[in-house]
Amino acid sequence: MATSDKRSPGRRKSGVEGVFPAAKEITLRQMRYFRSAAATGQFSMAATEEHVSQSAITNAVMALEQLLGVRLFDRLPHGVALTAEGNHLYQHVTRILESVDDALRQPRVRLDTLEGTVKIAASYTVLGYFLPGLLARFRNSYPHIELALHDLTRPEVEARVLSGDIELGIVLLSNVPDPGRFAHRSLIRSRRQLWAAPGHPLLEGGAPTLKQIARYPYILLTVDEGEESTMRYWQAKRLAPDIAFRTTSMEALRGLVAHGFGVTVLSDMVFRPWSLEGKEIEARPLAIPAPDMEVGILWKKGGELSPSATALRDFLIYACSR
């Protein structure tokens, strides 16, 4: 992101590529408001989540843009989308706010001397796009707890939790047919949006409907029961996507979408605004929202978790509630 050659000589150098400029001028509140706007894609929704006025969100974002000397969001007819600089800042801000949350939590839960091993399992999407950062934060708080992590399918996770071989399973809870068999807790809900290459007709005008999306070639992700979960909400509307390609590879899907071979509908949790080649991908909310993708944690009903597993379960619940 070498952008300094495009700026006027007197302009403050952006801290997005390195150290934040005049960091003391940036407040945690501004960071939190920026993160909410980035996560929701709408200033109005961010204001609702933060219990402030929309102008408070707008002013915080504008202050950051002026301070950093870059544009953080593209303003769209029905929301906002992070620019390349905005996405880079979002990664930094997320880590900063998570570190602050953990620092405030730890004095109340002083279990950093706890020792033991936790047997946990997760499915592909959860392991690739949800857990790594959380497990790193847990390790910082509980350095003496070892994590025995297993990469399994959702049915395998369920079976091994029920057998007691695995203490905690983290899965796409929205795919679990009978969650009542387990003690369980929802961790996050991630909205599904349209993904398309810049300039695609579906990105113009209002929020697209599934009926409109069905007119264009569709890239279907099949990994982690992706085809089954996708077809459920399409069939509920008595519609079907025009499937051009099926793939188990998220990166292949991004490349196909970015190069204009088709569109897809996937959750924000797995969204990235570029393909591996650096081609841009844009996301838009649906006119009638598709069911959220839900990530949750499972453990054996009536069973007693080890102190280490209890610490991990409680940490995940706390971290995701923030």
Side-chain angles (χ1 to χ4, degrees):
M1 278 188 302
T3 57
S4 58
D5 57 329
K6 298 180 182 179
R7 296 175 191 148
S8 60
R11 197 169 199 179
R12 179 186 284 120
K13 183 178 178 181
S14 169
V16 174
E17 296 170 355
V19 178
F20 292 135
K24 65 182 180 181
E25 299 178 35
I26 299 177
T27 68
L28 290 176
R29 180 178 288 107
Q30 288 173 327
M31 292 185 190
R32 195 172 71 246
Y33 291 177
F34 165 75
R35 181 178 64 174
S36 290
T40 61
Q42 293 183 332
F43 286 2
S44 59
M45 192 177 299
T48 299
E49 289 199 353
E50 296 293 336
H51 306 290
V52 296
S53 66
Q54 184 172 334
S55 63
I57 303 294
T58 302
N59 292 339
V61 171
M62 290 178 61
L64 286 174
E65 288 181 327
Q66 292 172 2
L67 186 62
L68 296 173
V70 295
R71 183 166 46 85
L72 299 174
F73 290 100
D74 286 325
R75 274 64 172 179
L76 308 171
H78 299 279
V80 293
L82 286 169
T83 62
E85 293 85 357
N87 185 71
H88 196 70
L89 178 64
Y90 178 69
Q91 307 306 318
H92 283 292
V93 163
T94 298
R95 288 194 294 269
I96 290 169
L97 293 176
E98 287 173 349
S99 296
V100 171
D101 283 343
D102 292 345
L104 293 175
R105 173 181 181 269
Q106 198 166 17
R108 298 197 300 273
V109 188
R110 291 296 300 179
L111 295 176
D112 54 351
T113 58
L114 192 64
E115 297 182 357
T117 300
V118 186
K119 292 182 179 180
I120 59 175
S123 54
Y124 167 85
T125 304
V126 174
L127 189 56
Y129 297 93
F130 176 70
L131 269 184
L134 288 167
L135 293 183
R137 291 168 58 191
F138 177 79
R139 184 178 57 186
N140 289 337
S141 297
Y142 301 90
H144 304 296
I145 295 180
E146 294 186 11
L147 301 173
L149 181 60
H150 301 263
D151 182 359
L152 303 173
T153 65
R154 191 267 309 161
E156 290 171 334
V157 173
E158 291 189 35
R160 294 182 68 172
V161 169
L162 288 173
S163 72
D165 184 44
I166 293 293
E167 290 186 274
L168 299 174
I170 299 93
V171 297
L172 299 182
L173 196 60
S174 46
N175 289 346
V176 176
D178 184 11
R181 293 184 300 157
F182 306 89
H184 65 279
R185 178 72 175 263
S186 177
L187 296 176
I188 67 162
R189 303 183 71 93
S190 181
R191 66 177 172 175
R192 288 182 166 100
Q193 295 197 87
L194 169 74
W195 298 11
H200 194 283
L202 286 171
L203 300 177
E204 301 172 359
T209 64
L210 290 182
K211 187 174 182 179
Q212 290 172 314
I213 293 171
R215 300 171 187 162
Y216 297 90
Y218 192 91
I219 315 298
L220 182 64
L221 185 70
T222 60
V223 72
D224 226 351
E225 303 173 275
E227 183 163 2
E228 293 87 344
S229 61
T230 295
M231 296 311 298
R232 276 198 297 271
Y233 61 81
W234 277 89
Q235 290 168 357
K237 299 295 183 183
R238 298 184 179 181
L239 295 169
D242 181 12
I243 300 172
F245 299 96
R246 286 178 169 86
T247 179
T248 61
S249 168
M250 183 68 74
E251 296 308 330
L253 178 142
R254 286 198 183 97
L256 290 167
V257 170
H259 283 280
F261 285 97
V263 300
T264 196
V265 175
L266 284 173
S267 80
D268 287 345
M269 189 180 81
V270 297
F271 179 71
R272 303 293 182 272
W274 306 281
S275 68
L276 282 176
E277 311 95 321
K279 296 281 289 183
E280 190 176 354
I281 300 169
E282 294 188 17
R284 291 292 186 278
L286 302 178
I288 301 175
D292 291 341
M293 186 177 77
E294 184 178 11
V295 178
I297 186 167
L298 308 174
W299 64 97
K300 191 173 183 179
K301 183 181 285 188
E304 184 174 348
L305 293 175
S306 68
S308 297
T310 300
L312 177 57
R313 180 198 62 187
D314 293 348
F315 174 86
L316 290 173
I317 292 171
Y318 170 84
C320 292
S321 72
R322 302 294 294 173

